[in-house]
Amino acid sequence: MGLTNTPQDVLALMEKENVQVVDLRFMDFPGLWQHFSVPAHAIDADSFEEGLGFDGSSIRGWQAINESDMIVKPVADSAFIDPFTTHKTLVMICNICDPITGEDYTRDPRNIARKAENYIKSAGIADIAYFGPEAEFFIFDDIRFDQNEHSGYYFLDSVEGRWNTGREEGPNLGYKPRYKEGYFPVQPTDSMHDIRTEMMLTMESMGIPVEAHHHEVATGGQSEIDMRFGKLVWMADNLLKYKYIIKNTAKKHGKTVTFMPKPIWNDNGSGMHIHMSFWKDNKNLFYGDNYAGLSQTALYAIGGLLKHAPAVLAFTNPTTNSYKRLVPGYEAPVNLAYSQRNRSAAVRIPMYSASEKAKRFEFRCPDPSSNPYLAFAAMVMAAVDGIQNKIEPGEPLDKDIYDLPPQEAAKVPKTPGSLRAALEALEADHEFLLRGDVFTEDVVETWIDYKMENEVTALDLRPHPWEFSLYYDI
């Protein structure tokens, strides 16, 4: 599904396009794209087999300083011409390998996703896992933040921000979406239309099929661009390209993008609903004659995902900010239930297309701060556990969950209330991730330790501005 298929295709493309620079990219452990560049003449046919060396000791969550050397092996099928660089640059996504053994590095997130893709085949579950993430994001005009020993603050701004209806803008034209009403009036209220269109067309030019783009619910430039579904690893690769295109297109226009789940208090946050289906022998395993047109296999998959959701959320909702979105009242799915229409349920079965080809379910908890390789892999492993162990998901919940009587609502399991709680759930429940050596004990332990030390505890130690409003005069 890439733009090229073989190393020879890449070398031919480089010659045809007069490429001057090759940019080699890979994913760090928490979920940021990293890169280094080499002159075009440094890449030949052997580079794809032998790889290129780099120092892995400074990559977050990776090697110790005494075992720092690593190898990147470019993936020919991932090659594309970078539309944002001054000099003609070809980009390739890479796999990470140990320079001594030559084996794939176990902490490389892309390797984990590749192993998940292979596991469903070796276990006889399916040939293909399809994913369709719907990532939301904010387009801001300005962001300032700092935290030190004597102060802590953030200031963000958007020409669309409802808070700017009274600002002198010379002139202020007043078309600013009301809180929770950004979904989705036409221009001029939707002032981000042309920027999103440019983002979409750039994606299409790079081989990423797009289904739609639109403004989202929140004020302040919240947006969504929907890519067409694809295979697990290919889709995770595309999501990284998606973020890269969106951020750099915004920068061209003097704007800034964040995939932070909840940057604006008291308005909707950014989720990343993920559609998933398993296929085997060209047949959709999730299509059937049970509830909402699902198969029994799909119901078992939902059962596994709901059972392991608290642990899975440590990967699909991996930031402290993630749990400021997962609260009642903002369309966020805090209830671990499934439904054919209810968008407040963690798992929803879309009903706008009932065909076999389109049948799938949607996991609504994840957000776009996640590392897609790890998020998709964790979802697959939870669903596979449900199928292998015939885990029933219980009865569907088609009522408005937020309007249930307190006694009935209390019976519906809830998502973790914090990153700490999700990491504790992962620590207690991760055996399902270890099957097929997809995740390893080292990966799980390193993830928990890194997140606890660098994010959970780091935030716990710092006073919050709102605490001064609550407690200063005590």
Side-chain angles (χ1 to χ4, degrees), residues 177 181-187 189-190 196 212-217 222 224:
E181 294 187 24
Y183 192 85
F184 32 42
V186 299
Q187 307 94 307
T189 302
D190 178 8
R196 288 198 313 272
H213 76 73
H214 57 81
H215 204 286
E216 258 299 339
V217 175
Q222 192 185 33
E224 179 177 323

Side-chain angles (χ1 to χ4, degrees), residues 82 92 152 189 196 267 286 292 296 338 353-354 366 400 410 417 442 472:
D82 194 314
M92 283 188 284
T189 302
R196 288 198 313 272
D267 205 349
F286 285 4
Q296 185 61 57
Y338 71 105
S353 179
D400 186 340
D442 171 69
Y472 184 77

Side-chain angles (χ1 to χ4, degrees), residues 86-100:
T86 301
H87 304 284
K88 184 61 72 76
T89 300
L90 180 132
V91 176
M92 283 188 284
I93 298 172
C94 301
N95 295 321
I96 309 300
C97 301
D98 186 283
I100 298 174

Side-chain angles (χ1 to χ4, degrees), residues 55-274:
D55 179 4
S57 64
S58 297
I59 304 301
R60 299 180 299 169
W62 277 17
Q63 298 283 59
I65 192 68
N66 62 320
E67 49 183 22
S68 59
D69 291 341
M70 304 293 289
I71 297 290
V72 295
K73 289 189 177 180
V75 178
D77 212 34
S78 71
F80 65 92
I81 301 296
D82 194 314
F84 301 105
T85 53
T86 301
H87 304 284
K88 184 61 72 76
T89 300
L90 180 132
V91 176
M92 283 188 284
I93 298 172
C94 301
N95 295 321
I96 309 300
C97 301
D98 186 283
I100 298 174
T101 66
E103 294 178 353
D104 293 323
Y105 183 42
T106 56
R107 292 189 195 175
D108 174 15
R110 194 173 192 273
N111 179 32
I112 294 169
R114 289 160 61 211
K115 287 191 289 184
E117 204 164 46
N118 290 332
Y119 178 66
I120 61 169
K121 299 175 186 176
S122 64
I125 299 293
D127 301 328
I128 300 171
Y130 281 122
F131 281 82
E134 299 176 348
E136 299 167 350
F137 53 94
F138 281 88
I139 305 173
F140 292 137
D141 291 286
D142 189 58
I143 175 68
R144 293 179 290 127
F145 54 88
D146 196 13
Q147 177 104 38
N148 52 48
E149 286 74 11
H150 69 279
S151 66
Y153 62 86
Y154 68 88
F155 295 98
L156 54 82
D157 206 2
S158 166
V159 69
E160 276 194 7
R162 188 66 181 177
W163 56 87
N164 282 326
T165 54
R167 183 172 67 176
E168 291 188 13
E169 294 182 347
N172 188 327
L173 301 179
Y175 295 110
K176 304 180 191 299
R178 286 176 283 272
Y179 296 105
K180 299 188 183 183
E181 294 187 24
Y183 192 85
F184 32 42
V186 299
Q187 307 94 307
T189 302
D190 178 8
S191 69
M192 304 297 169
H193 172 81
D194 287 340
I195 293 178
R196 288 198 313 272
T197 295
E198 184 177 339
M199 293 169 177
M200 177 185 72
L201 295 177
T202 303
M203 290 177 195
E204 291 263 327
S205 72
M206 289 168 53
I208 301 174
V210 175
E211 293 185 338
H213 76 73
H214 57 81
H215 204 286
E216 258 299 339
V217 175
T219 190
Q222 192 185 33
S223 298
E224 179 177 323
I225 301 175
D226 294 330
M227 296 178 285
R228 183 172 172 78
F229 68 90
K231 297 178 182 179
L232 192 160
V233 175
W234 185 78
M235 198 70 241
D237 288 345
N238 277 356
L239 190 55
L240 301 187
K241 297 175 187 177
Y242 173 99
K243 286 187 172 184
Y244 181 73
I245 292 165
I246 286 171
K247 289 178 180 179
N248 282 282
T249 303
K251 186 174 180 289
K252 277 176 56 179
H253 293 270
K255 295 183 183 292
T256 178
V257 160
T258 184
F259 289 91
M260 187 175 171
K262 190 79 169 184
I264 298 178
W265 171 70
N266 213 27
D267 205 349
N268 283 42
S270 293
M272 187 173 72
H273 308 148
I274 300 176

Side-chain angles (χ1 to χ4, degrees), residues 310-311 313-315 317-318 320 323 416 418-430 444 447-453 455-456:
L313 261 63
F315 294 109
N317 302 71
T320 57
Y323 298 87
S418 66
L419 178 58
R420 179 189 295 276
L423 293 169
E424 289 171 348
L426 176 62
E427 190 169 31
D429 175 30
H430 63 263
V444 173
W447 183 262
I448 293 171
D449 291 345
Y450 180 91
K451 287 285 175 177
M452 281 289 193
E453 179 181 350
E455 299 177 33
V456 174

Side-chain angles (χ1 to χ4, degrees), residues 423-468:
L423 293 169
E424 289 171 348
L426 176 62
E427 190 169 31
D429 175 30
H430 63 263
E431 189 277 332
F432 71 99
L433 296 171
L434 306 179
R435 292 171 197 159
D437 199 39
V438 174
F439 288 77
T440 64
E441 283 283 3
D442 171 69
V443 164
V444 173
E445 290 173 9
T446 303
W447 183 262
I448 293 171
D449 291 345
Y450 180 91
K451 287 285 175 177
M452 281 289 193
E453 179 181 350
N454 294 282
E455 299 177 33
V456 174
T457 303
L459 190 68
D460 286 348
L461 289 172
R462 287 161 171 79
H464 188 284
W466 191 243
E467 289 180 307
F468 287 86

